[in-house]
Amino acid sequence: MSSKPMYRQIADALREQIQCGALKAGDALPTESALQEQFGVSRVTVRQALKQLTEQSIIESIQGSGSYVKEERVNYDIYQLTSFYEKLADRHVETHSDVQVFEVIAADAALAEKLQIPPGDKSWHVKRVRFIKQKPVTLEETWMPLALFPDLTWEVMENSKYHFIEQVKKMVIDRSEQELVPVMPSVDVVNALGIDATKPVLEKISRGYLSDGRVFEYSCNTFKSDDYKFTLVAKRRH
């Protein structure tokens, strides 16, 4: 009989499943109730085991969702204008988007200026949560001129917006002007991503331009800082 405390035995068993590949990066761990039943222990003991694995950065907990095997951070190359799906293509992982808001609104003066359209013109307003496997990693809020995309659909926004613009609409995307800042999460972000309300997140504000100079989107993306790293190459002026 092992002399280790039971919570450490549970942590060791889960760690072994991860190391041997039975549980892979991004996979959900069994529920606390299932672990209680499997090992015949209390919920407190199970939570001690999960806490140890979390502190060792082996797993992570998502409020209201459960615990997951921690994945390597997504590398977000600031100089490469790529979609969510393109950034993850080499990872060969399942991704999807949960569209929470899909509506047409009248642009107020502030939004009209960002989209370079007359105040009062119609704009799409879309809010979606981006997932890697079952784990929410990004909350995106986007506004797009209705005149440019009258045929935009809910289904398009469940998949790739860039694919729709380039392959269906045959428009050429030129560039995106971006601003990246750390902020405290809003209630919306906490609920969507299941994160600690006291831990900062990364917010990226961007405005995308077509090759003819028209603005095709204004977006606010909020990233969990544990899931992303941002890279750039800086050259010294000579």
Side-chain angles (χ1 to χ4, degrees):
M1 191 77 175
S2 173
S3 59
K4 280 185 181 179
M6 198 62 204
Y7 79 90
R8 290 185 61 185
Q9 292 182 47
I10 297 170
D12 288 348
L14 291 172
R15 190 185 296 105
E16 187 175 328
Q17 288 184 56
I18 293 167
Q19 289 172 344
C20 76
L23 284 171
K24 297 180 173 59
D27 283 353
L29 269 64
T31 63
E32 290 184 0
S33 298
L35 290 171
Q36 273 183 265
E37 187 175 339
Q38 180 182 345
F39 292 98
V41 296
S42 69
R43 188 172 293 267
V44 171
T45 301
V46 167
R47 287 181 174 174
Q48 280 183 296
L50 297 177
K51 182 173 182 285
Q52 183 183 74
L53 293 174
T54 300
E55 289 172 346
Q56 294 170 347
S57 293
I58 294 170
I59 67 168
E60 61 182 330
S61 295
I62 307 227
Q63 292 176 16
S65 181
S67 295
Y68 296 83
V69 181
K70 196 165 179 61
E71 295 196 73
E72 181 185 349
R73 290 184 179 188
V74 177
N75 182 35
Y76 197 111
D77 186 340
I78 294 173
Y79 283 114
Q80 292 294 318
L81 184 54
T82 50
S83 70
F84 176 74
Y85 295 100
E86 290 167 339
K87 282 179 173 57
L88 293 163
D90 63 342
R91 299 271 287 269
H92 304 292
V93 294
E94 177 196 342
T95 61
H96 70 278
S97 297
D98 176 16
V99 178
Q100 298 184 330
V101 175
F102 185 80
E103 62 182 358
V104 174
I105 62 171
D108 61 17
L111 178 59
E113 182 182 2
K114 292 178 174 69
L115 292 177
Q116 295 181 357
I117 60 177
D121 268 20
K122 296 292 194 294
S123 161
W124 289 107
H125 171 224
V126 184
K127 186 184 290 187
R128 56 184 179 169
V129 182
R130 322 301 297 271
F131 287 79
I132 297 177
K133 294 189 177 177
Q134 308 107 309
K135 187 177 70 171
V137 294
T138 307
L139 176 64
E140 177 192 277
E141 195 162 11
T142 301
W143 296 264
M144 303 167 69
L146 179 67
L148 277 181
F149 308 108
D151 50 347
L152 186 69
T153 65
W154 183 293
E155 289 72 26
V156 164
M157 297 308 289
E158 284 184 315
N159 295 286
S160 173
K161 173 178 60 186
Y162 278 22
H163 179 271
F164 170 72
I165 293 170
E166 294 178 318
Q167 303 303 317
V168 177
K169 303 296 290 182
K170 304 300 182 184
M171 295 175 174
V172 178
I173 295 173
D174 178 61
R175 71 188 189 281
S176 176
E177 296 174 355
Q178 305 180 6
E179 175 183 304
L180 186 67
V181 290
V183 298
M184 296 307 295
S186 65
V187 173
D188 260 6
V189 170
V190 169
N191 292 338
L193 302 184
I195 57 175
D196 184 345
T198 65
K199 188 173 181 179
V201 291
L202 294 168
E203 187 176 86
K204 180 173 69 71
I205 306 294
S206 61
R207 185 157 59 166
Y209 292 83
L210 298 173
S211 58
D212 60 10
R214 288 179 295 176
V215 175
F216 71 87
E217 71 164 339
Y218 174 74
S219 290
C220 176
N221 288 265
T222 305
F223 303 92
K224 290 171 61 181
S225 54
D226 287 347
D227 291 321
Y228 281 82
K229 60 180 179 180
F230 291 79
T231 62
L232 55 84
V233 177
K235 292 188 176 181
R236 186 166 178 80
R237 185 180 296 172
H238 294 288

Tab-separated table of all heavy atoms in Angstrom, residues 81-84 86 128 156 159-168 171 173 175-176 178 204 206 208 216-217:
chain	number	residue	atom	x	y	z
A	81	LEU	N	-0.951	38.232	-40.982
A	81	LEU	CA	-2.395	38.419	-40.910
A	81	LEU	C	-3.072	37.118	-41.314
A	81	LEU	O	-3.285	36.842	-42.496
A	81	LEU	CB	-2.833	39.570	-41.818
A	81	LEU	CG	-4.317	39.951	-41.781
A	81	LEU	CD1	-4.765	40.229	-40.359
A	81	LEU	CD2	-4.574	41.144	-42.679
A	82	THR	N	-3.371	36.288	-40.315
A	82	THR	CA	-3.969	34.981	-40.559
A	82	THR	C	-5.212	34.817	-39.692
A	82	THR	O	-5.360	35.461	-38.656
A	82	THR	CB	-2.972	33.847	-40.229
A	82	THR	OG1	-2.419	34.078	-38.924
A	82	THR	CG2	-1.855	33.783	-41.242
A	83	SER	N	-6.081	33.925	-40.119
A	83	SER	CA	-7.307	33.670	-39.375
A	83	SER	C	-7.023	32.758	-38.188
A	83	SER	O	-5.953	32.155	-38.069
A	83	SER	CB	-8.343	33.003	-40.285
A	83	SER	OG	-7.944	31.668	-40.584
A	84	PHE	N	-8.006	32.636	-37.320
A	84	PHE	CA	-7.927	31.735	-36.161
A	84	PHE	C	-7.602	30.317	-36.622
A	84	PHE	O	-6.735	29.648	-36.059
A	84	PHE	CB	-9.270	31.782	-35.422
A	84	PHE	CG	-9.399	30.843	-34.266
A	84	PHE	CD1	-8.739	31.086	-33.074
A	84	PHE	CD2	-10.214	29.713	-34.356
A	84	PHE	CE1	-8.876	30.221	-31.990
A	84	PHE	CE2	-10.361	28.853	-33.283
A	84	PHE	CZ	-9.685	29.098	-32.099
A	86	GLU	N	-6.209	29.342	-39.488
A	86	GLU	CA	-4.879	29.265	-40.105
A	86	GLU	C	-3.778	29.225	-39.053
A	86	GLU	O	-2.766	28.541	-39.229
A	86	GLU	CB	-4.679	30.453	-41.047
A	86	GLU	CG	-5.539	30.379	-42.309
A	86	GLU	CD	-5.573	31.682	-43.086
A	86	GLU	OE1	-5.282	32.750	-42.507
A	86	GLU	OE2	-5.894	31.636	-44.281
A	128	ARG	N	-18.591	36.128	-30.915
A	128	ARG	CA	-18.407	34.673	-30.926
A	128	ARG	C	-17.259	34.259	-30.023
A	128	ARG	O	-16.294	34.991	-29.835
A	128	ARG	CB	-18.188	34.158	-32.351
A	128	ARG	CG	-17.036	34.795	-33.105
A	128	ARG	CD	-16.960	34.283	-34.536
A	128	ARG	NE	-15.861	34.904	-35.260
A	128	ARG	CZ	-15.432	34.496	-36.444
A	128	ARG	NH1	-16.007	33.464	-37.042
A	128	ARG	NH2	-14.425	35.108	-37.055
A	156	VAL	N	-21.467	31.251	-41.711
A	156	VAL	CA	-20.140	31.772	-42.056
A	156	VAL	C	-19.363	32.097	-40.787
A	156	VAL	O	-18.186	31.741	-40.647
A	156	VAL	CB	-20.258	33.041	-42.936
A	156	VAL	CG1	-18.919	33.794	-42.970
A	156	VAL	CG2	-20.678	32.669	-44.349
A	159	ASN	N	-17.654	29.515	-38.840
A	159	ASN	CA	-16.448	28.981	-39.464
A	159	ASN	C	-15.434	30.105	-39.683
A	159	ASN	O	-15.119	30.823	-38.743
A	159	ASN	CB	-16.821	28.256	-40.750
A	159	ASN	CG	-17.665	27.034	-40.471
A	159	ASN	OD1	-17.157	26.032	-40.001
A	159	ASN	ND2	-18.967	27.111	-40.733
A	160	SER	N	-14.916	30.267	-40.891
A	160	SER	CA	-13.864	31.246	-41.137
A	160	SER	C	-14.385	32.466	-41.885
A	160	SER	O	-14.815	32.367	-43.039
A	160	SER	CB	-12.721	30.611	-41.942
A	160	SER	OG	-11.777	31.599	-42.310
A	161	LYS	N	-14.333	33.599	-41.237
A	161	LYS	CA	-14.712	34.878	-41.856
A	161	LYS	C	-13.791	35.210	-43.025
A	161	LYS	O	-14.236	35.659	-44.079
A	161	LYS	CB	-14.630	35.957	-40.772
A	161	LYS	CG	-14.811	37.382	-41.216
A	161	LYS	CD	-14.738	38.313	-39.995
A	161	LYS	CE	-13.393	38.188	-39.279
A	161	LYS	NZ	-13.343	38.964	-38.028
A	162	TYR	N	-12.486	34.971	-42.857
A	162	TYR	CA	-11.527	35.291	-43.919
A	162	TYR	C	-11.748	34.425	-45.148
A	162	TYR	O	-11.587	34.884	-46.279
A	162	TYR	CB	-10.089	35.130	-43.403
A	162	TYR	CG	-9.584	36.325	-42.620
A	162	TYR	CD1	-10.456	37.233	-42.025
A	162	TYR	CD2	-8.217	36.560	-42.466
A	162	TYR	CE1	-9.990	38.324	-41.308
A	162	TYR	CE2	-7.736	37.643	-41.753
A	162	TYR	CZ	-8.639	38.525	-41.174
A	162	TYR	OH	-8.170	39.599	-40.467
A	163	HIS	N	-12.096	33.162	-44.948
A	163	HIS	CA	-12.375	32.279	-46.081
A	163	HIS	C	-13.567	32.819	-46.874
A	163	HIS	O	-13.549	32.841	-48.115
A	163	HIS	CB	-12.673	30.856	-45.594
A	163	HIS	CG	-12.996	29.891	-46.697
A	163	HIS	ND1	-14.289	29.689	-47.171
A	163	HIS	CD2	-12.199	29.078	-47.448
A	163	HIS	CE1	-14.271	28.810	-48.148
A	163	HIS	NE2	-13.026	28.424	-48.335
A	164	PHE	N	-14.595	33.261	-46.182
A	164	PHE	CA	-15.778	33.826	-46.832
A	164	PHE	C	-15.412	35.070	-47.643
A	164	PHE	O	-15.811	35.211	-48.805
A	164	PHE	CB	-16.823	34.179	-45.764
A	164	PHE	CG	-17.990	34.978	-46.279
A	164	PHE	CD1	-18.954	34.389	-47.082
A	164	PHE	CD2	-18.123	36.326	-45.957
A	164	PHE	CE1	-20.047	35.129	-47.558
A	164	PHE	CE2	-19.198	37.069	-46.429
A	164	PHE	CZ	-20.165	36.471	-47.225
A	165	ILE	N	-14.629	35.961	-47.052
A	165	ILE	CA	-14.277	37.214	-47.722
A	165	ILE	C	-13.431	36.955	-48.968
A	165	ILE	O	-13.685	37.531	-50.037
A	165	ILE	CB	-13.524	38.145	-46.747
A	165	ILE	CG1	-14.474	38.604	-45.628
A	165	ILE	CG2	-12.946	39.360	-47.475
A	165	ILE	CD1	-13.781	39.328	-44.491
A	166	GLU	N	-12.446	36.066	-48.818
A	166	GLU	CA	-11.496	35.852	-49.915
A	166	GLU	C	-11.988	34.854	-50.961
A	166	GLU	O	-11.829	35.079	-52.164
A	166	GLU	CB	-10.154	35.397	-49.346
A	166	GLU	CG	-9.484	36.476	-48.502
A	166	GLU	CD	-8.166	36.027	-47.897
A	166	GLU	OE1	-8.089	34.875	-47.413
A	166	GLU	OE2	-7.218	36.812	-47.897
A	167	GLN	N	-12.568	33.742	-50.498
A	167	GLN	CA	-12.931	32.677	-51.439
A	167	GLN	C	-14.345	32.821	-51.996
A	167	GLN	O	-14.590	32.468	-53.149
A	167	GLN	CB	-12.788	31.300	-50.747
A	167	GLN	CG	-11.403	31.029	-50.202
A	167	GLN	CD	-10.321	31.122	-51.263
A	167	GLN	OE1	-10.488	30.631	-52.373
A	167	GLN	NE2	-9.190	31.745	-50.923
A	168	VAL	N	-15.264	33.351	-51.208
A	168	VAL	CA	-16.645	33.502	-51.670
A	168	VAL	C	-16.877	34.889	-52.280
A	168	VAL	O	-17.376	35.019	-53.399
A	168	VAL	CB	-17.642	33.242	-50.518
A	168	VAL	CG1	-19.083	33.465	-50.995
A	168	VAL	CG2	-17.470	31.830	-49.962
A	171	MET	N	-12.787	39.094	-52.489
A	171	MET	CA	-12.172	40.360	-52.098
A	171	MET	C	-10.733	40.092	-51.657
A	171	MET	O	-10.399	38.991	-51.203
A	171	MET	CB	-12.952	41.007	-50.948
A	171	MET	CG	-14.361	41.418	-51.319
A	171	MET	SD	-15.268	42.052	-49.876
A	171	MET	CE	-16.799	42.612	-50.650
A	173	ILE	N	-7.853	40.949	-49.077
A	173	ILE	CA	-7.535	41.558	-47.783
A	173	ILE	C	-6.099	42.064	-47.828
A	173	ILE	O	-5.175	41.333	-48.188
A	173	ILE	CB	-7.705	40.545	-46.639
A	173	ILE	CG1	-9.189	40.130	-46.523
A	173	ILE	CG2	-7.217	41.124	-45.312
A	173	ILE	CD1	-9.442	39.009	-45.538
A	175	ARG	N	-4.490	44.482	-45.173
A	175	ARG	CA	-3.759	44.642	-43.914
A	175	ARG	C	-4.736	44.801	-42.753
A	175	ARG	O	-5.935	44.989	-42.932
A	175	ARG	CB	-2.850	45.871	-43.979
A	175	ARG	CG	-3.585	47.193	-43.965
A	175	ARG	CD	-2.646	48.370	-44.216
A	175	ARG	NE	-3.282	49.653	-43.996
A	175	ARG	CZ	-4.105	50.245	-44.854
A	175	ARG	NH1	-4.390	49.661	-46.001
A	175	ARG	NH2	-4.638	51.423	-44.563
A	176	SER	N	-4.147	44.747	-41.548
A	176	SER	CA	-4.906	44.986	-40.333
A	176	SER	C	-4.068	45.861	-39.407
A	176	SER	O	-2.901	45.567	-39.161
A	176	SER	CB	-5.234	43.656	-39.639
A	176	SER	OG	-5.885	43.887	-38.415
A	178	GLN	N	-3.455	47.012	-35.699
A	178	GLN	CA	-3.782	46.359	-34.438
A	178	GLN	C	-3.163	47.067	-33.242
A	178	GLN	O	-2.071	47.634	-33.336
A	178	GLN	CB	-3.296	44.901	-34.474
A	178	GLN	CG	-3.826	44.123	-35.664
A	178	GLN	CD	-3.348	42.689	-35.702
A	178	GLN	OE1	-2.689	42.214	-34.782
A	178	GLN	NE2	-3.689	41.981	-36.761
A	204	LYS	N	-7.016	42.717	-28.066
A	204	LYS	CA	-6.473	43.186	-29.345
A	204	LYS	C	-7.581	43.906	-30.104
A	204	LYS	O	-8.593	43.315	-30.451
A	204	LYS	CB	-5.933	42.027	-30.179
A	204	LYS	CG	-5.362	42.477	-31.536
A	204	LYS	CD	-4.687	41.339	-32.259
A	204	LYS	CE	-5.635	40.285	-32.752
A	204	LYS	NZ	-6.469	40.763	-33.900
A	206	SER	N	-8.497	45.748	-33.544
A	206	SER	CA	-7.964	45.761	-34.909
A	206	SER	C	-8.980	46.325	-35.898
A	206	SER	O	-10.193	46.248	-35.695
A	206	SER	CB	-7.549	44.345	-35.344
A	206	SER	OG	-8.651	43.477	-35.328
A	208	GLY	N	-9.482	46.104	-40.111
A	208	GLY	CA	-8.996	45.440	-41.316
A	208	GLY	C	-9.361	46.192	-42.580
A	208	GLY	O	-10.466	46.739	-42.695
A	216	PHE	N	-13.102	46.646	-43.863
A	216	PHE	CA	-14.061	45.548	-43.909
A	216	PHE	C	-14.457	45.055	-42.525
A	216	PHE	O	-15.453	44.338	-42.367
A	216	PHE	CB	-13.540	44.384	-44.764
A	216	PHE	CG	-12.398	43.608	-44.159
A	216	PHE	CD1	-12.628	42.541	-43.300
A	216	PHE	CD2	-11.073	43.936	-44.461
A	216	PHE	CE1	-11.582	41.813	-42.755
A	216	PHE	CE2	-10.020	43.219	-43.926
A	216	PHE	CZ	-10.266	42.158	-43.059
A	217	GLU	N	-13.673	45.430	-41.493
A	217	GLU	CA	-14.055	45.018	-40.140
A	217	GLU	C	-13.378	45.879	-39.084
A	217	GLU	O	-12.294	46.440	-39.298
A	217	GLU	CB	-13.689	43.555	-39.877
A	217	GLU	CG	-12.191	43.308	-39.734
A	217	GLU	CD	-11.848	41.957	-39.107
A	217	GLU	OE1	-12.703	41.362	-38.425
A	217	GLU	OE2	-10.700	41.523	-39.316
